[in-house]
Amino acid sequence: MPDGTRTAGNDWINSYLEAILDVGPGLVDDAKSSLLLRERGHFSPTRYFVEEVITGFDETDLHRSWVRAAATRSPQERNTRLENLCWRIWNLARQKKQLEEKEAQRMTKRHLERERGRREATADMSEDLSEGEKGDVVTDVSTHGDSVRGRLPRINSVDAMETFISQQKGKKLYIVLISLHGLIRGENMELGRDSDTGGQVKYVVELARALGSMPGVYRVDLLTRQVSSPEVDWSYGEPTEMLTPISAEGFEEETGESSGSYIIRIPFGPKDKYIPKENLWPHIPEFVDGALNHVIQMSKVLGEQVGGGKPVWPVAIHGHYADAGDSAALLSGALNVPMLFTGHSLGRDKLEQLLKQGRLSRDEINATYKIMRRIEAEELSLDASEIVITSTRQEIDEQWRLYDGFDPILERKIRARIRRNVSCYGRFMPRMVVIPPGMEFHHIVPQDGDMDGETEANEDHHPTPADPPIWTEIMRFFTNPRKPMILALARPDPKKNITTLVKAFGECRPLRELANLTLIMGNRDGIDDMSSTSASVLLSVLKLIDKHDLYGQVAYPKHHKQSDVPEIYRLAAKTKGVFINPAFIEPFGLTLIEAAAYGLPIVATKNGGPVDIIQVLDNGLLIDPHDQQSIADALLKLVADKHLWARCRQNGLKNIHLYSWPEHCKTYLSRIASCKARHPQWQRSDDGAESSESDSPSDSLRDIQDLSLNLKFSMDGEKSGLSVNESSLESEGSLDRKTKIENAVLAWSKGISRDTRKAGFSEKADHNSSGKFPVLRRRKHLIVISVDCDTITDLIEITKKIFEATEKERTEGSIGYILSTSLTIIEIRSFLVSGGLGPNDFDAFICNSGSDLYYPSINSDDRPFVVDFYYHSHIEYRWGGEGLRKTLVRWATSTNDKKGGSEEQIVTASEQLSTDYCYAFKVQKPAMVPPVKELRKMLRIQALRCRVIYCQNGTRLNVIPVTASRSQALRYLYLRWGVELSNMVVVAGECGDTDYEGLLGGLHKSVVLKGVGSNAISQLHTNRNYPLSDVLATDSPNIVQTTEGCGSDDIRSALEKLEVVKS
């Protein structure tokens, strides 16, 4: 067997190869021999194992099987087991090849789709491309800055920090962070308790604490899940926890009653269970509703304290990880404020890694990790985010570019046009910004002691009482504890590459003579209690120690506390040691920064974040993690060359402030400041004095309607003819008229926006009274009719059943009704006429799949509806306008050409059904159009951000703003008018339009009408990225299903169960 083969694998693989070779070539001719060997003919086990197994597969399962096979006494049984192992390896190899072929096909397809999308997007913007936009060369302007230093804008002088502080004076910013999974508290964090409570928990808590200490920041809220479960500590059930502020010298700010940083725990999901992050998806809407309630209340409180009586809205909402990104997208859309996103780890990257392992199919991966729902949440985060914050360039270049919603080349073109103030034709791309995580350094005192100097009088270096206990625990392993310590701090995971480090140390005699090796590999009680993967790594380490006789030179303590980690760094620095991170890939490398803060030079993998860290700190060397000679050479160089060691130590201590929390937060706040300020539009800085209580909102409403007719904003449903992207082309006269309308709406709003929390209702529901408008604010409950029926006749029948079921409450006025539908306002009017209903039978109309909101008019005879202008301004963020419409028309033409031929029209644009915020298409053959996910993917690749909804049994396609939806419209009603979401009841069928999943979740109650929803409707959901069960909490007590047939009595019975009506 070649020596290279023995070196390539672990010991067990070498003996494995020898055992297979011992079976001999006779097996090939044996009638009972392996089918594998018979099929492959001239089979070279050595080469096969080296090429197909050692370099390609995780060894854990194979090793476990080999141990069992090697322990078998019977030669015949042993040979049978070895033969079975051959089968397993052959199957693994076959699966790997199949996956590689599928992956190659998928990547080719993806490359073609992206190139086509980029060409089409560039063609739309090609009229005035600059030379800088046309090129894709190295000298082109970087997507993320002009240089490494540009990507990491840092304060590098006291003067610069003072300038920043002076700029922040007078600001009273409110920032909201969201991190949902795991157990989060400010003190005694249980890091490592489970897979959900790790580095992200520490990061978000420290970020919140640091931001709250910055000048100009008044309050920071970290929103997470409230967990009141007997299996976790009681502290995780506390609604509010104030974070102890960090030392912030020079940042003295005026504090207030509600200032500072807080953890706010929102109850959602199972009340008495702590559940893993994969099971949180169905409960996200419930969190969003609870968070919305908190933010509205806090904005009012802060308004009273520092806002002059006007609400202080969040300057940004920052989601951490996919689940919080999904939540932040919905919450920022509901509030119309900027969103930031940090992925921490990304679903597409994880999916790629799991597929490469070949252990699980795509369906099995999705069932275990809900990976497709996670990826869609990350895509939605790209749609909604103004800024995406990453720790390293590697995350951008190798991970985010896997997503449909981000293309570095197209992003560069869009950014160049924005700088030149040139139209991007409705295309938007989030800004990727590298801001490495910060650290708190004020409490760190670098270790200046010298082990040699301190032990002259104590040659054997017996531990002194002043030494931390962990020092004794480590030094007991060493024969000579005075030697420099090479320190590695990582869990026993194959990706951390600890075994290669031990080999490099064991096979380099000069290194062994000069240094000791300390491996801090998590905590363990016994190897048998560890996971199979961790146990396998630890056993490999122990075997290597034995093989190279490293006893007395390697420490591997079983236990350490989180509070021991600083002392471990100090011990390594005291011995003039080196810190190493040899991982195959390291997304960031926070431990490298921690080590540098304690005065340790570093050696790190060249793959990932350490490249940026060493470039900034200039305190160490990069290595190839696959090359053990490279590892040994770098370590030996730093340990042997005391001048180099001292220079690296000095550089690290000098530059470490570049990774401090104040530096991080300064960059963070400057990025937020670059975002265009957005907030609910009816709150204005120039409102002036409040209207008197006696002002009649009805008069203002009539003025609105009179002005509306001039711009065709009223009840005929016609468009104003002005899209968002064309607003700059409006005539002066039209602007004047629009300003009058807005001023009238503002005056009307002032008279009715006070006391939005007051509930109650009158005995008679008089829509024409001079009371506060709209009348829905006086209802005890609101029934939202969101049933997506086959025909208008079916919708009329169900609506009348609902009216009949609640006749008593309807007469009293305690229950009101909202129609939520994909129909246009013109179709709604026809629906009302056909059903013998009037506009005032409803309190609001959510139409065009949530892109338009109307109320019944006071003068209902000639002007039956009035539009909510501010809802349009609330949802217009990233609306593609004319550029989006042109792309959709081009798509429709292409679809017709490909699938329908020259004569048959499969999908056609409908001007009659379209509005400024909803582009509608008629679908003649629903079975022939691509599913929602394909159309959404095509638009994302072209940097067009919107929602795509098939409705009307698949015969219509509505494309609306990304922040609009029927469920978001309900949140708007809560925000605008104070209508409690928990007092709403959504009535829906068993299935519906492709936005159906958003209807049932949240604080509101839901009634599902069994049997309602045709096969045609259900077909719309067959091509989803993930099953509905991943996003619908069907076991929620807030969801009740009627019996088959769902008559009025069944509906009333369901409402009684929900305690909406009394029996």
Side-chain angles (χ1 to χ4, degrees):
M1 186 182 305
D3 292 338
T5 303
R6 291 185 178 274
T7 304
N10 289 341
D11 291 340
W12 71 268
I13 291 186
N14 292 327
S15 62
Y16 197 170
L17 290 172
E18 290 167 358
I20 296 278
L21 291 171
D22 286 345
V23 174
L27 272 178
V28 178
D29 300 321
D30 192 339
K32 296 181 179 179
S33 65
S34 165
L35 179 60
L36 166 67
L37 300 182
R38 291 202 305 270
E39 283 188 346
R40 295 182 67 88
H42 300 291
F43 176 60
S44 170
T46 304
R47 189 175 65 182
Y48 180 78
F49 274 90
V50 172
E51 293 180 356
E52 301 294 344
V53 181
I54 298 174
T55 61
F57 295 104
D58 189 319
E59 303 167 1
T60 308
D61 285 348
L62 294 173
H63 178 239
R64 191 182 300 114
S65 297
W66 163 242
V67 169
R68 287 198 296 266
T72 305
R73 294 183 179 179
S74 167
Q76 184 176 356
E77 185 179 352
R78 180 170 175 267
N79 290 342
T80 302
R81 290 200 174 193
L82 289 173
E83 187 172 305
N84 288 336
L85 281 173
C86 286
W87 264 107
R88 290 180 60 190
I89 294 166
W90 177 68
N91 279 319
L92 279 173
R94 184 180 60 177
Q95 289 175 19
K96 181 182 179 183
K97 287 184 172 62
Q98 290 172 345
L99 286 170
E100 287 174 346
E101 291 174 1
K102 289 180 180 178
E103 179 69 9
Q105 293 171 359
R106 192 180 66 81
M107 293 302 294
T108 301
K109 180 183 177 183
R110 176 180 175 78
H111 177 74
L112 293 174
E113 288 174 339
R114 176 153 284 189
E115 284 297 321
R116 182 169 60 249
R118 192 182 292 155
R119 280 198 306 271
E120 291 181 2
T122 303
D124 285 345
M125 301 188 294
S126 62
E127 301 169 7
D128 47 3
L129 283 177
S130 67
E131 290 303 314
E133 291 175 276
K134 292 175 182 176
D136 183 25
V137 292
V138 176
T139 56
D140 203 355
V141 178
S142 168
T143 309
H144 315 289
D146 299 327
S147 66
V148 173
R149 294 287 178 180
R151 293 196 301 272
L152 300 171
R154 300 290 180 182
I155 305 170
N156 50 25
S157 70
V158 175
D159 292 339
M161 179 60 86
E162 289 178 350
T163 301
F164 170 74
I165 294 173
S166 66
Q167 291 172 347
Q168 293 295 106
K169 281 186 177 177
K171 292 183 180 180
K172 302 290 183 182
L173 301 181
Y174 175 31
I175 299 172
V176 173
L177 310 178
I178 303 176
S179 183
L180 297 184
H181 62 261
L183 297 170
I184 298 180
R185 63 184 180 190
E187 306 297 335
N188 301 316
M189 288 177 272
E190 299 182 80
L191 302 181
R193 180 190 188 277
D194 53 64
S195 60
D196 290 349
T197 308
Q200 180 181 326
V201 169
K202 181 181 179 184
Y203 172 83
V204 294
V205 170
E206 291 187 352
L207 174 61
R209 200 192 310 268
L211 283 172
S213 301
M214 292 296 289
V217 177
Y218 188 76
R219 182 179 173 104
V220 178
D221 282 340
L222 169 56
L223 308 185
T224 188
R225 181 172 181 243
Q226 184 182 41
V227 183
S228 302
S229 169
E231 59 185 301
V232 302
D233 191 77
W234 62 270
S235 59
Y236 300 114
E238 289 294 296
T240 304
E241 177 186 346
M242 184 174 184
L243 295 175
T244 307
I246 61 174
S247 172
E249 297 179 7
F251 290 176
E252 289 79 7
E253 284 279 298
E254 179 186 352
T255 58
E257 184 181 347
S258 300
S259 64
S261 301
Y262 297 82
I263 297 175
I264 306 296
R265 299 184 178 93
I266 307 293
F268 69 99
K271 299 187 185 306
D272 58 348
K273 290 182 181 178
Y274 172 53
I275 58 177
K277 59 180 176 289
E278 290 80 12
N279 296 340
L280 286 176
W281 293 111
H283 310 290
I284 294 292
E286 187 181 354
F287 166 80
V288 173
D289 291 348
L292 180 61
N293 177 51
H294 167 79
V295 171
I296 291 173
Q297 295 305 312
M298 185 49 59
S299 295
K300 291 178 181 178
V301 170
L302 298 182
E304 294 299 323
Q305 293 179 11
V306 296
K310 299 174 184 176
V312 175
W313 300 106
V315 68
I317 295 175
H318 186 173
H320 294 267
Y321 194 78
D323 48 14
D326 192 271
S327 305
L330 293 173
L331 185 59
S332 65
L335 290 166
N336 191 30
V337 299
M339 173 188 165
L340 281 63
F341 181 61
T342 299
H344 291 277
S345 69
L346 299 181
R348 282 200 189 275
D349 184 59
K350 180 164 185 172
L351 177 61
E352 300 285 328
Q353 299 300 324
L354 291 171
L355 287 174
K356 285 178 182 177
Q357 288 179 11
R359 294 173 174 273
L360 299 173
S361 68
R362 184 178 288 263
D363 290 339
E364 290 170 332
I365 292 170
N366 192 46
T368 304
Y369 299 103
K370 306 294 187 290
I371 201 79
M372 299 312 296
R373 179 64 183 89
R374 174 179 170 183
I375 290 171
E376 178 55 31
E378 289 160 344
E379 292 281 12
L380 179 60
S381 297
L382 287 174
D383 289 340
S385 296
E386 302 247 4
I387 294 173
V388 175
I389 295 176
T390 71
S391 298
T392 65
R393 280 300 305 272
Q394 184 266 351
E395 187 178 339
I396 301 169
D397 296 338
E398 298 183 22
Q399 296 184 48
W400 275 119
R401 71 182 303 142
L402 298 174
Y403 285 77
D404 301 328
F406 180 72
D407 179 354
I409 296 175
L410 192 54
E411 195 268 359
R412 182 166 60 250
K413 296 178 184 294
I414 291 172
R415 194 67 55 200
R417 299 180 72 89
I418 291 173
R419 283 197 299 269
R420 291 167 46 228
N421 199 27
V422 177
S423 171
C424 295
Y425 296 90
R427 287 166 170 81
F428 302 91
M429 197 76 75
R431 180 97 183 192
M432 293 280 173
V433 177
V434 178
I435 312 180
M439 276 191 62
E440 186 52 47
F441 300 122
H442 75 278
H443 64 286
I444 296 177
V445 178
Q447 181 68 51
D448 292 325
D450 188 327
M451 186 71 80
D452 291 328
E454 289 192 5
T455 57
E456 287 175 1
N458 184 13
E459 193 64 29
D460 294 332
H461 191 73
H462 296 294
T464 67
D467 288 343
I470 191 65
W471 286 21
T472 305
E473 178 66 18
I474 291 173
M475 288 192 292
R476 70 183 178 87
F477 284 87
F478 299 134
T479 304
N480 182 359
R482 294 192 302 276
K483 291 197 297 186
M485 178 194 295
I486 297 168
L487 173 63
L489 187 72
R491 65 184 184 275
D493 186 306
K495 294 180 291 186
K496 298 301 181 181
N497 200 27
I498 297 173
T499 53
T500 305
L501 169 62
V502 178
K503 286 179 192 175
F505 181 77
E507 295 180 11
C508 181
R509 186 182 184 90
L511 187 59
R512 293 202 314 269
E513 292 175 349
L514 282 175
N516 292 321
L517 176 62
T518 297
L519 305 174
I520 307 297
M521 299 180 288
N523 289 286
R524 64 186 184 278
D525 290 324
I527 296 178
D528 292 339
D529 298 327
M530 301 172 70
S531 69
S532 59
T533 303
S534 298
S536 177
V537 172
L538 184 56
L539 285 171
S540 297
V541 168
L542 296 176
K543 288 180 180 180
L544 287 167
I545 291 172
D546 186 72
K547 176 179 179 180
H548 297 289
D549 194 16
L550 301 178
Y551 298 106
Q553 296 175 285
V554 179
Y556 42 95
K558 295 179 69 171
H559 297 284
H560 73 281
K561 294 180 290 189
Q562 188 67 27
S563 58
D564 289 333
V565 173
E567 302 300 339
I568 297 171
Y569 287 131
R570 284 195 180 97
L571 177 60
K574 187 180 183 70
T575 63
K576 296 191 182 322
V578 176
F579 182 83
I580 182 169
N581 180 337
F584 291 120
I585 296 177
E586 181 56 64
F588 179 62
L590 191 59
T591 53
L592 295 171
I593 297 174
E594 291 176 345
Y598 286 92
L600 277 170
I602 60 179
V603 172
T605 176
K606 67 178 184 179
N607 300 326
V611 176
D612 286 345
I613 292 173
I614 288 182
Q615 193 161 12
V616 170
L617 296 181
D618 191 22
N619 72 329
L621 303 172
L622 294 172
I623 49 95
D624 179 354
H626 298 278
D627 183 355
Q628 70 182 55
Q629 190 61 47
S630 167
I631 296 172
D633 290 346
L635 290 171
L636 184 60
K637 189 174 183 180
L638 279 170
V639 171
D641 188 340
K642 295 301 180 183
H643 294 291
L644 175 62
W645 184 94
R647 186 166 68 250
C648 286
R649 169 188 165 87
Q650 184 180 6
N651 288 345
L653 293 174
K654 179 181 68 175
N655 297 322
I656 195 64
H657 74 281
L658 299 177
Y659 288 100
S660 69
W661 275 119
E663 297 279 357
H664 177 100
C665 292
K666 180 264 175 185
T667 307
Y668 183 98
L669 292 172
S670 67
R671 292 299 184 179
I672 289 179
S674 70
C675 297
K676 180 181 178 182
R678 292 187 286 122
H679 52 77
Q681 289 298 304
W682 55 89
Q683 303 291 344
R684 290 193 173 188
S685 58
D686 58 348
D687 278 355
E690 288 282 344
S691 301
S692 67
E693 195 70 43
S694 60
D695 288 346
S696 169
S698 299
D699 294 336
S700 295
L701 186 59
R702 291 191 183 96
D703 292 339
I704 292 167
Q705 290 172 290
D706 291 340
L707 288 166
S708 295
L709 287 174
N710 295 329
L711 283 177
K712 296 184 180 179
F713 270 128
S714 68
M715 320 321 86
D716 56 5
E718 293 182 27
K719 296 170 29 173
S720 67
L722 297 171
S723 70
V724 177
N725 284 13
E726 295 170 327
S727 58
S728 60
L729 304 178
E730 291 178 319
S731 67
E732 187 177 345
S734 132
L735 272 172
D736 289 341
R737 289 194 296 274
K738 191 170 182 181
T739 301
K740 288 179 182 179
I741 293 173
E742 292 184 349
N743 289 338
V745 172
L746 181 62
W748 166 48
S749 302
K750 287 177 183 174
I752 58 181
S753 62
R754 304 187 203 94
D755 305 323
T756 58
R757 291 277 154 220
K758 289 184 179 178
F761 54 89
S762 60
E763 288 295 318
K764 293 183 179 180
D766 183 4
H767 291 269
N768 294 314
S769 70
S770 59
K772 292 185 178 181
F773 186 89
V775 72
L776 56 82
R777 295 185 60 224
R778 303 201 306 271
R779 307 297 193 189
K780 187 175 182 180
H781 292 285
L782 282 168
I783 295 181
V784 183
I785 302 175
S786 302
V787 185
D788 301 318
C789 297
D790 291 352
T791 64
I792 292 290
T793 304
D794 292 340
L795 181 58
I796 292 171
E797 181 183 348
I798 288 173
T799 301
K800 289 186 174 180
K801 286 181 182 179
I802 294 171
F803 282 180
E804 184 181 344
T806 55
E807 184 60 35
K808 176 185 174 184
E809 293 76 13
R810 181 176 177 229
T811 304
E812 292 174 347
S814 63
I815 283 185
Y817 306 89
I818 296 174
L819 184 61
S820 176
T821 177
S822 60
L823 300 173
T824 66
I825 196 66
I826 297 176
E827 291 172 315
I828 287 175
R829 188 170 190 178
S830 299
F831 154 77
L832 295 174
V833 172
S834 301
L837 304 171
N840 286 334
D841 287 323
F842 295 87
D843 293 342
F845 301 91
I846 300 168
C847 50
N848 296 313
S849 298
S851 62
D852 286 292
L853 178 60
Y854 289 85
Y855 309 102
S857 170
I858 295 171
N859 300 322
S860 57
D861 294 335
D862 53 343
R863 303 166 193 170
F865 311 100
V866 60
V867 69
D868 191 326
F869 296 105
Y870 287 126
Y871 182 66
H872 284 163
S873 66
H874 207 73
I875 64 172
E876 70 180 358
Y877 172 67
R878 288 199 167 170
W879 178 233
E882 184 62 18
L884 171 61
R885 191 193 67 80
K886 286 181 178 178
T887 302
L888 289 168
V889 169
R890 189 164 56 232
W891 165 79
T893 302
S894 173
T895 301
N896 291 330
D897 292 342
K898 287 180 181 178
K899 298 185 177 182
S902 56
E903 300 178 359
E904 200 170 20
Q905 296 295 300
I906 295 173
V907 56
T908 56
S910 175
E911 289 293 326
Q912 184 182 5
L913 298 175
S914 297
T915 66
D916 279 343
Y917 295 92
C918 176
Y919 294 143
F921 291 77
K922 291 181 179 178
V923 180
Q924 277 75 26
K925 294 196 172 183
M928 298 184 70
V929 292
V932 164
K933 63 180 182 181
E934 292 298 327
L935 180 53
R936 189 166 52 206
K937 178 180 180 180
M938 182 271 290
L939 293 170
R940 279 174 172 157
I941 286 175
Q942 295 198 40
L944 293 164
R945 315 295 177 173
C946 54
R947 286 187 187 270
V948 179
I949 303 160
Y950 281 121
C951 43
Q952 307 287 308
N953 298 338
T955 62
R956 183 180 302 178
L957 171 69
N958 282 346
V959 180
I960 64 176
V962 70
T963 56
S965 70
R966 289 190 282 176
S967 56
Q968 287 289 75
L970 298 181
R971 294 186 177 106
Y972 173 86
L973 290 174
Y974 169 49
L975 175 69
R976 182 78 172 94
W977 306 114
V979 182
E980 292 283 0
L981 290 167
S982 59
N983 292 336
M984 296 183 184
V985 183
V986 172
V987 181
E990 282 194 285
C991 56
D993 299 346
T994 54
D995 63 349
Y996 177 80
E997 68 183 55
L999 297 176
L1000 301 184
L1003 286 180
H1004 65 254
K1005 300 172 178 65
S1006 300
V1007 174
V1008 177
L1009 304 181
K1010 189 172 178 61
V1012 175
S1014 69
N1015 290 331
I1017 292 179
S1018 63
Q1019 287 296 320
L1020 299 176
H1021 298 274
T1022 55
N1023 288 315
R1024 305 175 56 84
N1025 279 329
Y1026 47 85
L1028 277 175
S1029 58
D1030 284 1
V1031 289
L1032 289 183
T1034 52
D1035 57 346
S1036 168
N1038 281 345
I1039 300 177
V1040 173
Q1041 190 174 61
T1042 67
T1043 58
E1044 192 81 42
C1046 57
S1048 59
D1049 291 339
D1050 297 317
I1051 294 173
R1052 185 168 185 87
S1053 176
L1055 293 173
E1056 288 173 358
K1057 291 179 182 177
L1058 294 171
E1059 299 181 352
V1060 175
V1061 298
K1062 296 179 181 179
S1063 55

